[in-house]
Amino acid sequence: MKLIFEKSVKARDGYSLPKDLFDEVNTKDCIPEYAVSDSKKVLSEVSEVDVIRHFTKLSKFNYGVDDGLYPLGSCTMKYNPKVTEKLASLDNFIYAHPLAPEETVQGCLELMYDLNKLLCEVTGVDQYTMAPAAGAHGELTGVLIMRQHFVDHDDKRHKLLVPDSAHGTNPASATMGGFKMIELKSNERGTVDIRRLEELMDEDTAGLMLNDPNTVGLYDEGMQDIESIVHGKGGLLYYDGANLNASFEIVRPGDAGFDIVHLNLHKTFSTPHGGGGPGSGIIGVKEFLIPYLPTPIVAFDGEKYYFSDVGEKSIGRVRAFWGNFLVLIKSYAWILSMGPDGLRNVSETSVINANYVLAKLKKYYRPAYDRYCGHECVLTGRDYKKYGIKTLDIAKRLMDYGFHPPTIYFPHFEPYAEETIMVEPPESESKEVIDEFIDAMIKISNEAKTNPDLLTGAPHNTRIRRVDDVLAVKRPILNYGDELKLKDELKYKDEDINF
Amino acid sequence: MRYIPSTEEQKKEMLKEIGVSSFEELIEAIPAGFRFKGRLNVPEAISEAELEEKIYQIAKKNSDFFLMKPLIGAGAYRHHVPEAGKFLLQREEFWTCYTPYQPELSQGTLQSIFEFQTYIARLTKMDVVIPSIYDGASATAEAALMSFRLTHRNKIIISALLHPHYKETVKTYIAPHEPEIVELPHKDGLVDIDGLKKLVDDDVASVIVQNPNFFGGIEKLAEICELVHSKNALLINAIAESMSLGVLKAPGEVGADIVAGEAQSFGMDLNYGGPYNAYLATRKQFLRQLPGRIIGETRDLDGKRVFVMTMRAREQDIRREKATSNICTNHFLNATAANIYLSLMGTEGLYKVSLLNTKAAHYLENLLLKSGKFEKVFDYPFYNEFLLKSKDSVPTLNKKLLENNFIPPLEVSKFYKEERFKDVLLFAVTEVLCREDLNRVVEILAE
């Protein structure tokens, strides 16, 4: 598609400004000579109509949840309610300045206060910080809370256990938080290897970061042992909330011994992913860890809501202001729409959906572990290697059937979880949609054997064909300026850019 | 339940196909002792109409902010957001999709972000741009960590006029490195350059300077850069008000090494502090130490020009514990908002609105000084924020402003404890305040 810069026409404009530009104020009195730009910065010159058509066209090259099934494992791509979008765009919220006097933002503060109470009840902890902007941001916050807790107790723990099945963000967060990451290998059932945990969990180790269900989609049957081993050595248990969708009213992480609980409001609590964000990756803790939370938290004195400083033991701030407030509104509204029965229904339905997919497809795509799963199941494409088919090809072929592919190649650990296809059909997917997906997957398994070219050349029906990501690394073009410098080498024809 | 299509009957059918008689069999792996018993104590579900009513009631407990024009900025600025931008962002294709891991189904997001990278490269005159970090504070913190990696040093000098929230965030992020942190003092509303001369030495990884600084002051960045580079340290240019880029010299023109900029002013409302979106920009040779996603241009099988997430070997899902950062989900939708905003404003529009901001701010400062109720704190060049000391009681003044639908300026003593900042206010002016508004402000305060 043409870039906005290629649609630019000299002297065309798309802005609207007041007539009064304070022309009597001398520019030289505003900007000192040393700061005057050498030249005007060239952006683009397009009209509002051009902009609307350009971005409308761009949007049509995207696939969203409203287009159909988006079964990305560990991403919980559920339906995003429309009413919550409207409620998050009320004037009194979007025009609220984050440093406006507290008496003018009682609504914002009440909402954050109430949301905290609801989430504490749902997850079994005592206090949340609303600051973290995304999952990894929450992880960093959680790991820093661990670090601060041990510093405060004059305890020099420097290692942190992370299972091999963890998200890439977990190991990176452990490092960013100043710990040496120790990988904990899973056992042959896909869960924490208790013997190995016993060996590794020592008094130099701060604790364990864990998903439950874990990234292979399995509830950990050893949770009781895990809890007593980690706590027995004075360590802390960190809950990665990526998979909470399987647990509403079934098991609360706080009750299962987790001290620090992370939630992804943009997964479990229905707020949209926005093509990569904004999300909200808030962190809840048990009472003894409240003094280490990022400052401040919202408090209530019986009459008014106010920001309360956490105190000198706080890890400090992890961002400016208070949190991704608009995302908080949406998740709050979603919880109120669901109620306790609705929340339970979410988990029941998503667990049934995933097990249904597993039951129907395990003949065709050998599962990483053949046992009941939580809200996602991990299949593999390893039996198709002999036909020259990679899991990537299966994923790309699914696009031709009108589906977004599941998560592929993650988790990855041999010998069980390789060539993985992690399917998460959230509660908002009907049986009919799931059946269509299952049919497509079965058709693809046949095609892999009878007509593998169909897969290796896929996708065929999408607006663009398979993308060369190796070339992107070999010859980096990271903005339009880079492209212009390589113009002679690239030699784009009109049909290459105008489609 | 309207968001859960499968019926009880269908769920039963599915359980049968799975080969179990009840849902409970599927979750047997959960230890009984940890199972939740009873019902969650959250309110019973309410209808959509009841929900709207409930949230409207909460929103009503805020002031009527649409009508309240802010005289406060301090890292969050109310600029006009064109309706075309808001309208486009409502397209589900942009807001319900995931991170663009599958480029064949994500060209809309990918191309939009590539365009945004281009805009920021042009505005900052830097080579490479990371389009999305959560906000200006976390981007500045990531820049600090990046400077540690690039220099293998862990001493850092932070301007006293870096936004206090940014400063605290940087300190939180770098704490595990047990760094040496030195505060760079200010003089007359700008960085104390003589002071910097004494502080910067061969152990310094980077110096963080915000421009325009927290008091709105326009820093002598070229001079600062020269000093910083003389010790082979890096200059991190934090920007809280990116609107200033429309008229001010670009960081790339004065020698900045890393730019950490908050882009909220480009098409994002105040949103009570978030979500916003920040960018990082740097020189080509530092590319591999950058945190976060970046979009690159490539071709598809048919030779078409297409876009894809690239340079991924730096990232957490590939490099795991050795990644440059843990960042994964970022704020791509907000980056698209900024892209749309910059497209609408264009070359002329951005220049004009940027200039209008500083002119209107100078107009107000001048009037307030003339009113006799305020005095200058520093004689310094500023962009669209400035300090004035009030001769009247600040609480009375705030009350008057609130009654007249203005959000009062920031009381600087909230963040700066020195005696001289007592009753000092940080005013911010943007294009949403017209001449009549500004005249009215002066009238109210001079009453």
Side-chain angles (χ1 to χ4, degrees), chain B residues 395-406:
Chain B
T396 319
L397 176 153
N398 284 348
K399 197 164 163 276
K400 282 200 274 185
L401 285 171
L402 284 169
E403 280 166 7
N404 285 280
N405 278 336
F406 290 100

Side-chain angles (χ1 to χ4, degrees), chain A residues 61-73:
Chain A
F61 282 70
N62 266 6
Y63 179 102
V65 169
D66 292 354
D67 292 300
L69 181 69
Y70 216 123
L72 278 178

